[in-house]
């Protein structure tokens, strides 16, 4: 689902098809001025996983594409991590956009295959 905040230089699906690429999983960065020292991702990940994302690009959780296998793996890993977060008091925060924190944690902790 591409909202009003996303801009692509070209259609990523057309580009992948022309190159005959099998893209297991493709993630997209937020604006370059936003990094993972921002409270939206830093605080929840540090609190829950005791992991520091640091000065890395924020990846947009609402923009993910890939092969069938890549997307199914992504869903499995996300659900597994959601279950981890909901079972631990230190991971439950009264704030929106937890999926953004989880999405970034999974990528930078190398939990997403072939991303």
């Amino acid at each position: 689902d591409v909202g009003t905040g996303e801009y692509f230089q070209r259609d990523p699906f057309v580009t992948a098809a022309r190159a005959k690429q099998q893209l297991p999983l493709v993630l997209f960065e937020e604006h370059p001025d936003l990094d993972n020292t921002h409270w939206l991702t830093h605080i929840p990940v540090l609190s829950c996983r005791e992991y520091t994302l640091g000065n890395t690009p924020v990846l947009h959780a609402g923009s993910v594409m890939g092969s069938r296998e890549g997307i199914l793996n992504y869903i499995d890993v996300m659900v597994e991590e959601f279950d981890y977060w909901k079972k631990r008091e230190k991971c439950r925060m009264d704030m929106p956009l937890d999926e953004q924190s989880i999405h970034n944690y999974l990528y930078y902790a190398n939990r997403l295959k072939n991303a």
Side-chain angles (χ1 to χ4, degrees), residues 22-27 64-78 103 111-115:
Q22 282 293 89
L23 301 171
L25 195 61
V26 179
L27 309 179
V64 178
M65 76 177 222
S67 66
R68 181 180 190 280
E69 180 182 334
I71 295 297
L72 289 175
N73 178 260
Y74 175 78
I75 292 168
D76 288 344
V77 174
M78 283 291 280
H103 176 80
R111 298 263 321 276
L112 299 175
K113 292 181 187 175
N114 301 314

Side-chain angles (χ1 to χ4, degrees), residues 1-3 6 8 26-28 30 59-65 74 78 97 99-100 103-104:
D1 178 30
V2 178
E6 289 82 14
F8 295 96
V26 179
L27 309 179
F28 299 89
E30 292 275 4
L59 304 174
H60 187 252
S63 299
V64 178
M65 76 177 222
Y74 175 78
M78 283 291 280
L97 304 171
E99 80 282 359
Q100 187 82 345
H103 176 80
N104 279 271

